[in-house]
Structure formats: structure tokens, C-alpha cells
Amino acid sequence: MTGSTRGQRLIAGLLAVAVGAAYGVLTLMRYRRFTISSWDHAIFEQAVKGYARPGAPIVDVKAPGFNILGDHFSPIDALIAPFYRVFPSAQTILLAQVVLIAVSVAVIALVAMRHVGTLTGAVIGLAYGLSFGLQSGVEAEFHEVAFGAPLLALAGAAYVDRRFRAVVLWSLPLLLVKEDLGLTVAMIGGVLWLAGERRRGVQLAATGLIAMAFIVLVIVPSFNPGDSYAYTSSLGGDRGIVATLLDDPDRKLGTVALTVGITGLAALVSPWVLLVLPTFAWRFAGDNAYYWGTEWHYSLLLMPIVFIAMVDGMRRWPVLRWATVAAVVVTGFTLVSSPLSTLLDSETYDEPPRATAAHAVIAAVPKGATVETDIAMMSHLVTDHTVYWWGTIGKQVTPSYVLFDAAAGIDSPVDVVAYAEEAHGGTYDLVFNRDGYVLAKRR
């Protein structure tokens, strides 16, 4: 990045390393402790595993033989495949997300230092690195949107620098991150139009909208067994979009307030903040209440947007540099009881109570075997096994092993043998039963 001093680059690098190290420890400790999040990490590892063969991103967790491009369009995940081929493990996927976030920290810290001063810019970079959206994203384990963080940071930095051609070039790869980001790309085009880049703005907006339509209407249905895009029905659900938008207004307004509040409201001065609108629109119109709050990974991509807008706002109005103080206060408030705060708890580093049994039951399943399981053990099995989820396996596959965590409280069947024989026929024997982990093997 031209214009930055050697000292600024060093500070940006150190911030990225420090934030990356903290998130790396957090995600690896959560994995080590068998913390249950969701089935998403297993889904993404199976997709990357498919790319690494090399081959199609088949995700048996979603359904036997299911191509993940029929669910979400995220071919950018294939970039992890070379690393996964060398280091095949769940931790590779987790650390890939940490690296992507760390890169975005360096980019935002550097552009901030360049435009608002070294000290203020470094504080902004740190506030971004500790922001609730990034923490929640790491806590939710790997998701494809992690690739969007450095891309949005780089596009935003180019916008602040008024390098509009670079804005376009960094924005276009967002179309490979996830299908809904076509709307964000279109909004970037609108922001360029407002900046006087009328031709580039119109072209980029049209590209984003056309690409998204083609992906949602043609590409995804072509890989989907139902010949459709599965998430269209989630907008509004059974009650309609307007009713869903008005549902739980306190929670939604709180999410919006915190998203701009962590910038001391300085983000509101910049047109770049308009990029949050597409994400808020589909989240608040969706009938899934998880979309509406600050949990999970849904705010991860909003963080580079609002912090770039904050820097641009301060560039426009230098008096807004005092907003950094408010940003620090809000960030400090969100750190209380945050995922990163668990790193100060000694229990985070202790061996979990059932770890010995967990490792033993995994070792009892031969490498390469087909295994049906619940989300409690799923991400620990994908690397060396062909894994199915008990809720989507159907009748077309007969697994050699069925493994459940009966003590996890996640509504999986308690009697593993009875379930396996009823679901798949034949005879299954109970071969492991300790500390809630139950494993049945087909004769």
C-alpha cells in the first residue's frame, strides 16, 4: 500500500499477528474441548476435502452425495484445498478463517493509520480486530464469509484512497464468496456512482445484480436435487416479508445500533456504510431468528464495512477522530463475557471432563469407515471418515458405524442400536458406551 511508512506497516503487521494469535488459540481450544457449535464446520470441511481430492465439493452431511454448490455458491472455498491436502485436518479449516481475519486487520489498520494518524489508526485497527462480529464469527467456527473480510477491507481501503479501479477489482471476487454478496457488489457500484464514478458504478452494480440472478436462478438449481434455490422461501416465511421485518424490533434495532455504535457513529458520515443495507435486509426479512441478533457469523462481514466507513468519515471530517474514544468504550463493553474473554479463564486450557472417552470412541471407528453421527462429534470425524448426519442420511446409505453423544442434550437418539436397526435394517452391536458416547457397529 503506497503512502504508508515502514513503521505503520510494522504496527499493522504486529496487530494482525496479535489478533490472529488470540483467535487461533480461541478456535483451537474450543475444538480441543469438543465445544458444540453447529454442523457448519463439518459441512465446509467436507466441501474442502472434496476440492482437495481433487474433485467435486460433495457434502454427505447435507445429504448423501450432495454437491454443496446446490446449497450456497461459494467456490472460493477451493482456495483452502491445497493447504488441506498437505495438512488434512479440521484445524486447517479453522486456522484458514483466522488468517483471513488477520489479513483484514492489517489492511484496515494500515489504511486508518495512513489517513487519520498512526496512533488513532492503530487504535481503530485494534478495535476492528476485537469487534463483536469477528469474535462471533470465530466462535461459530469456519464459514465461507471469512473470505469476504479481507476482500471488503481491500475494496474499502481502495475507496478511502480514491483508487476506484482497485475498488472494482477487489469487489468482483465477492461474487465467489456467497450468492447474496451480489447485492453488496451492486451497492458498492452505487457508492462509486455517488463518488462521481458513474460509468464504473453502473457497470459494477449491473454486474453484481446480473451475477446474483444467474447464480440463484441457474447455477445453484443446476446442482440442487430439487432444481431450486432453497433459501428463497426463508424470506418472510409463512407470514410475509413485511411482518417478518417488523418482528422483534428491539433485537434488530439493537443489532443495528451496536454495528454502527462500535465506530462511535463515525461510520454514518461515509457513503460506504450503505454496504450494510443488503445484509441487514436479508437478515431481518429472513424467518430465522438467529439472523437478527449479534450472535453467530452473520455480522462478520459488517465489521470491515463499518470500520472502513469510520476511517472514510474521519478523513472527510477530521473532528470525528474523537469518535475513536467512543469506539474504544463500546468495544471494551462488548469484550465483557465475549468469546475472547474466555482466554483469561484457566478452565479454557483444561482437559475437558469427557475428553478421554471422546478420543477413545473416535479411535474405535476405523479410518475410512462410513459413520452416521450427530453434531456433537461430527467435526472430529470428517477428516478420516465418510460422515453422515442422522437427520439427513435417509435410506440410500447403510453406515458401518452409528455414533451419538447421548449426554450432549441435542435430541439425538439415546438407544443407538435400536435406532440403527430401525433406520437401516440388519443387526448392529453396541461396541462402545462410556460417558455418554455410544457407538454401534453393523455386523
Side-chain angles (χ1 to χ4, degrees):
M1 290 191 177
T2 58
S4 302
T5 67
R6 181 179 298 179
Q8 289 174 339
R9 291 193 291 270
L10 177 60
I11 293 171
L14 291 175
L15 282 174
V17 170
V19 171
Y23 283 135
V25 173
L26 175 64
T27 195
L28 292 178
M29 288 299 102
R30 286 177 57 82
Y31 184 81
R32 175 177 174 267
R33 292 184 60 81
F34 293 88
T35 304
I36 300 173
S37 180
S38 70
W39 67 343
D40 289 358
H41 181 262
I43 288 174
F44 287 110
E45 185 179 356
Q46 281 191 333
V48 172
K49 186 178 179 180
Y51 284 126
R53 287 188 179 101
I58 300 301
V59 177
D60 292 312
V61 167
K62 289 285 292 185
F66 185 86
N67 190 315
I68 198 61
L69 295 177
D71 186 53
H72 287 302
F73 186 74
S74 304
I76 200 167
D77 292 338
L79 294 179
I80 305 176
F83 303 97
Y84 187 87
R85 191 174 178 88
V86 178
F87 305 104
S89 72
Q91 292 92 325
T92 297
I93 311 296
L94 295 172
L95 291 177
Q97 175 167 261
V98 170
V99 170
L100 291 167
I101 288 174
V103 170
S104 71
V105 171
V107 173
I108 288 179
L110 201 54
V111 71
M113 286 188 287
R114 188 162 60 245
H115 285 278
V116 300
T118 299
L119 179 58
T120 301
V123 172
I124 291 173
L126 182 60
Y128 165 72
L130 301 179
S131 60
F132 73 91
L134 299 189
Q135 291 200 54
S136 296
V138 173
E139 184 181 37
E141 300 175 340
F142 180 86
H143 286 86
E144 74 283 82
V145 291
F147 279 99
L151 290 173
L152 282 168
L154 287 162
Y159 173 76
V160 176
D161 292 339
R162 295 304 184 256
R163 295 180 291 113
F164 297 121
R165 183 172 180 272
V167 173
V168 174
L169 294 178
W170 286 119
S171 299
L172 290 174
L174 289 169
L175 298 171
L176 304 177
V177 175
K178 200 175 179 183
E179 64 280 357
D180 63 275
L181 289 177
L183 293 176
T184 301
V185 171
M187 187 60 74
I188 295 174
V191 172
L192 289 181
W193 189 88
L194 292 174
E197 291 289 311
R198 303 300 170 86
R199 182 175 60 84
R200 277 198 179 108
V202 170
Q203 290 175 344
L204 185 61
T207 299
L209 293 176
I210 293 171
M212 178 179 172
F214 185 71
I215 291 168
V216 170
L217 299 177
V218 179
I219 296 181
V220 173
S222 70
F223 288 101
N224 188 288
D227 299 321
S228 64
Y229 177 64
Y231 296 92
T232 303
S233 60
S234 69
L235 293 177
D238 297 330
R239 298 180 301 149
I241 291 179
V242 174
T244 304
L245 281 171
L246 297 176
D247 197 10
D248 203 352
D250 291 343
R251 185 177 183 188
K252 292 174 179 177
L253 289 174
T255 298
V256 174
L258 184 58
T259 299
V260 295
I262 56 172
T263 69
L265 303 182
L268 296 176
V269 176
S270 170
W272 193 257
V273 78
L274 295 174
L275 270 61
V276 304
L277 295 181
T279 298
F280 277 142
W282 73 255
R283 283 175 61 183
F284 295 163
D287 63 351
N288 186 339
Y290 288 122
Y291 297 163
W292 306 341
T294 58
E295 307 84 5
W296 299 96
H297 58 288
Y298 301 112
S299 292
L300 195 156
L301 290 186
L302 298 180
M303 299 298 100
I305 292 173
V306 295
F307 275 91
I308 285 292
M310 178 186 188
V311 174
D312 186 53
M314 290 180 173
R315 181 191 64 82
R316 294 167 181 267
W317 300 88
V319 69
L320 291 178
R321 295 185 184 186
W322 287 103
T324 307
V325 177
V328 170
V329 172
V330 175
T331 300
F333 175 78
T334 61
L335 283 173
V336 179
S337 300
S338 68
L340 278 178
S341 70
T342 63
L343 296 181
L344 302 177
D345 189 345
S346 61
E347 292 184 1
T348 299
Y349 310 94
D350 293 339
E351 188 80 2
R354 298 191 296 149
T356 301
H359 290 297
V361 73
I362 293 172
V365 183
K367 290 185 177 181
T370 56
V371 54
E372 176 184 3
T373 189
D374 53 28
I375 65 171
M377 301 297 292
M378 191 178 289
S379 62
H380 292 263
L381 292 164
V382 167
T383 303
D384 296 321
H385 308 88
T386 301
V387 178
Y388 302 90
W389 182 53
W390 74 275
T392 56
I393 189 171
K395 300 293 185 182
Q396 58 181 302
V397 172
T398 302
S400 299
Y401 291 84
V402 178
L403 169 59
F404 294 139
D405 184 353
I410 51 177
D411 298 327
S412 48
V414 176
D415 190 333
V416 65
V417 172
Y419 162 79
E421 292 180 348
E422 180 180 355
H424 306 296
T427 302
Y428 282 80
D429 297 317
L430 185 65
V431 295
F432 190 98
N433 185 0
R434 191 192 313 167
D435 289 347
Y437 297 111
V438 285
L439 175 67
K441 176 183 179 182
R442 186 177 179 85
R443 287 187 189 177

